[in-house]
Amino acid sequence: MPEPRTVSLVTLGCARNETDSEELAARLEASGWRLQEGSESADVVVVNTCGFIDAAKKDSIDTLLAAHDTGAKVVAAGCMAERYGAELADALPEAHAVIGFDDYATIGERLDDVVEGRAITAHKPRDRRTLLPITPVERSSAHVHVPGHGEPSELPEGLAPASGPRVLRKRLGGGPVAPLKLASGCDRRCTFCAIPAFRGSYVSRKPEEILAEAEWLAGHDVREIVLVSENSTSYGKDLGDLRALEKLLPQLTQVMDVVRVSYLQPAELRPGLLEVIASTPGVVPYFDLSFQHASGTVLRRMRRFGDPERFLDLLAQIRTLAPEAGVRSNFIVGFPGETEAELADLTGFLEAARLDAIGVFGYSDEDGTEAANLDGKLDQDEIDARLAEVSGLAEELTAQRAEERIGTEITVLVERETEPGVWEGRGFHQAPEVDGATTVHGTGLAVGDLVTALITDAEGVDLFGDAVKPTDAEDRRP
C-alpha cells in the first residue's frame, strides 16, 4: 500500500485563520493526506495567507516563496488567495495553485490535482456579500461554503475520538488555549475595510455546533477558548435572536473553564451582553473593543459610531461592573482628512481611557474600499510621524496601566515553563499573543493550571508575580 501523501499547513494572520486551517487539516486527514510539521520533504505546502493590510500581504508572499524554495508543491489559500485569485496566480508563478474558499470542501481533491500536475484554474475574485441573501435570517438556507462552518455530519466516522462529539477540526498545535469561531463575515460598511468583500456577509454558527466544539476542545486539554469572528456583537442576528451570545456564554462555561470573547463593536455592545461578559463566572471580564479612532468627525468619515464622551461612558459602565476588567483596542492614524484637532481628540481619549493594550496603525489605501477615493490624503511622512507619536503615547499609557496592577492578585492561566520554577501565562486581562504575558514564580505548577498570583513588578505590558494558590475552578474571577 503506498505511503499517504504529506502536507504541511502554514497559517498566517489572525486566530480566525487558525480555525480555518484546523478545518482544512481535518478535511485533508479524512481524505487520506498525512499532516506534518515543517515544510521540508512535504509533498505539498498549503499557506493560509492573510490579506488584511500591506505588511500582511508581503508576509504572505515571502512565506509562499520560502515554501517554494523547499522543493514542495505550493498552494496559496486563505484571505489573500480569495481576495486576489487569478491576479495572484499570474503574479506568483511559484505557487502551483491559488484556491478560494469554495475549494475548501474538496481540499483533498485539489491537492491531488496539484501533485498529479492537473491544472487548477484560479478563481476570479467576487464580492462574497452577493452570494448570500441581504436579509440575515434568510442566510441559513443558502448553500455557500463559509470557512470554519463545516457541518459535523461531513466528517467521516472515526476521525474524531469516539468518546467525544464529532467535530470538523484537527488541532495543529497544543497548549491550554484555542480559538473557536463564533461567526464569519461582516455586514458593517467601514470605509477603510475590505474584509466584508472577500469574507462575505455575516453568518453565525449554530449554538449547538459551538457547544459541541467547545466540549471537544475541552477533551483535548484546552482550558480557555477565545471566541473569534469579524464582529462578535452581531452574533445571532441571522439566527433570529440578538441575545443569542448572552445565552450562549453561560452555557459554554459548563464545558470550558475560561471563555473569552474578542472583536466587540462598541456600537453594538448592548447592556445585557456587557453585563454577561463582566459578571458571569468563567467568562473573563475582557473587552476587545473596536474603537478605531475617537474623533467623532473622523469616525463619521470611517462610517462608524462614537466620540470620546460616548466611549468613556462605555468604559465607565464596564468598570462599574468589573473594576479590574481588561480592555484593548486598535486605532488608525492618518485617515484621510485627519486634522491636528482630530488627532488631539484621539490622544486625549487615550490619556483618559486607561486601556490595557493599544494597537496603532498608520492608514493605507486598501483596494476596493471607499476610503481609497476620499479627499484629504495625508502624505506618508506625516502619517509615519503621527503613527510614531501615538504609538509612543500608547506604550507609555499601557505601561502605566500595567503598573496599576502591582500589589494586586490576579488569576493566571499557565501556558509554559521557561525555566525551573518560572512559568509564563496570561492574566484574564491579557488575550493570547497580543496583550503581553504574566511571569509567575512558583513550585508544583503545571501547564494548564489556573493560579492566583500576587503581582510584584511590571515591564511594559508584561507582569511579574508569585504564585499564591491554585484558583478554585468554581471561582474563576480575577
Side-chain angles (χ1 to χ4, degrees):
M1 183 175 179
E3 287 290 317
R5 289 165 170 167
T6 57
V7 56
S8 174
L9 273 167
V10 180
T11 306
L12 305 175
C14 64
R16 300 185 296 274
N17 258 16
E18 184 179 333
T19 62
D20 292 351
S21 285
E22 295 194 346
E23 177 198 332
L24 290 175
R27 291 181 182 278
L28 285 166
E29 192 168 90
S31 59
W33 283 79
R34 180 168 62 82
L35 288 115
Q36 69 170 51
E37 293 186 15
S39 303
E40 297 294 335
S41 76
D43 293 312
V44 180
V45 178
V46 177
V47 180
N48 189 352
T49 61
C50 179
F52 181 43
I53 57 177
D54 285 343
K57 296 174 196 172
K58 183 180 184 303
D59 189 26
S60 295
I61 295 295
D62 291 344
T63 303
L64 288 162
L65 293 174
H68 176 265
D69 290 343
T70 67
K73 303 280 188 180
V74 179
V75 174
C79 291
M80 189 176 182
E82 175 65 35
R83 185 175 181 184
Y84 293 103
E87 182 182 344
L88 177 62
D90 291 341
L92 194 71
E94 291 84 356
H96 295 80
V98 175
I99 63 173
F101 295 151
D102 292 334
D103 293 307
Y104 282 20
T106 54
I107 183 66
E109 295 173 30
R110 298 291 71 75
L111 296 200
D112 287 340
D113 290 338
V114 168
V115 171
E116 297 297 333
R118 294 186 288 268
I120 297 177
T121 302
H123 73 285
K124 293 182 179 179
R126 53 186 170 172
D127 188 334
R128 291 189 72 85
R129 291 172 294 190
T130 64
L131 304 181
L132 290 167
I134 294 175
T135 304
V137 293
E138 296 177 359
R139 291 173 188 164
S140 61
S141 61
H143 299 287
V144 175
H145 183 76
V146 181
H149 290 236
E151 292 295 331
S153 60
E154 296 182 42
L155 191 64
E157 292 287 350
L159 181 58
S163 59
R166 298 172 62 236
V167 171
L168 191 60
R169 179 170 183 173
K170 176 181 176 62
R171 289 207 77 193
L172 295 175
V177 184
L180 197 166
K181 183 170 281 191
L182 189 68
S184 288
C186 186
D187 288 340
R188 299 185 71 85
R189 294 295 181 267
C190 303
T191 58
F192 56 83
C193 185
I195 289 174
F198 60 84
R199 274 289 183 179
S201 298
Y202 195 86
V203 181
S204 303
R205 295 180 70 193
K206 296 176 182 177
E208 56 268 27
E209 185 180 338
I210 295 169
L211 286 164
E213 188 165 327
E215 187 172 354
W216 182 83
L217 288 167
H220 285 70
D221 300 321
V222 172
R223 296 206 69 182
E224 176 182 332
I225 53 171
V226 183
L227 299 177
V228 298
S229 68
E230 276 75 23
N231 174 10
S232 297
T233 36
S234 279
Y235 180 74
K237 72 175 188 178
D238 52 322
L239 304 177
D241 185 0
L242 282 172
R243 298 187 60 220
L245 186 56
E246 298 167 38
K247 300 173 184 176
L248 176 64
L249 290 174
Q251 293 177 283
L252 285 168
T253 65
Q254 301 305 304
V255 298
M256 183 61 58
D257 292 305
V258 181
V259 179
R260 184 184 302 271
V261 188
S262 61
Y263 305 108
L264 301 169
Q265 288 289 343
E268 300 179 30
L269 187 54
R270 301 171 301 280
L273 178 57
L274 189 160
E275 184 169 355
V276 167
I277 295 174
S279 307
T280 304
V283 178
V284 294
Y286 174 83
F287 293 82
D288 175 12
L289 297 168
S290 179
F291 287 133
Q292 301 298 345
H293 209 280
S295 164
T297 48
V298 171
L299 288 164
R300 296 297 88 73
R301 294 199 296 277
M302 291 179 168
R303 213 182 297 284
R304 294 181 64 83
F305 155 92
D307 55 43
E309 182 179 357
R310 289 172 177 163
F311 288 166
L312 290 173
D313 180 64
L314 175 59
L315 293 173
Q317 293 177 52
I318 290 170
R319 288 167 177 151
T320 296
L321 291 170
E324 296 305 315
V327 185
R328 75 157 287 119
S329 191
N330 294 323
F331 299 88
I332 298 171
V333 297
F335 192 77
E338 183 187 62
T339 65
E340 292 285 353
E342 290 169 334
L343 183 65
D345 284 343
L346 172 57
T347 56
F349 167 73
L350 292 176
E351 290 169 348
R354 296 173 57 242
L355 303 179
D356 293 274
I358 300 169
V360 186
F361 301 88
Y363 171 81
S364 62
D365 287 338
E366 283 296 316
D367 298 336
T369 63
E370 186 178 341
N373 298 315
L374 291 178
D375 295 331
K377 298 288 178 60
L378 281 66
D379 64 47
Q380 192 60 49
D381 287 344
E382 179 60 25
I383 293 174
D384 291 344
R386 295 185 182 195
L387 176 61
E389 175 191 349
V390 179
S391 296
L393 175 63
E395 289 182 10
E396 178 183 342
L397 294 172
T398 52
Q400 290 174 6
R401 177 66 179 135
E403 289 173 359
E404 293 177 12
R405 295 187 185 272
I406 295 175
T408 67
E409 291 186 354
I410 69 171
T411 302
V412 177
L413 175 63
V414 176
E415 295 183 303
R416 66 189 184 104
E417 187 175 23
T418 58
E419 58 183 275
V422 181
W423 306 82
E424 184 179 284
R426 291 174 296 101
F428 284 173
H429 69 286
Q430 297 169 317
E433 299 182 4
V434 293
D435 293 348
T438 298
T439 297
V440 178
H441 294 262
T443 58
L445 303 182
V447 171
D449 282 352
L450 284 165
V451 300
T452 299
L454 174 64
I455 301 304
T456 58
D457 199 4
E459 182 177 330
V461 295
D462 296 325
L463 300 178
F464 302 84
D466 298 319
V468 176
K469 60 180 178 181
T471 298
D472 183 352
E474 297 302 317
D475 181 16
R476 296 186 289 267
R477 307 311 295 169

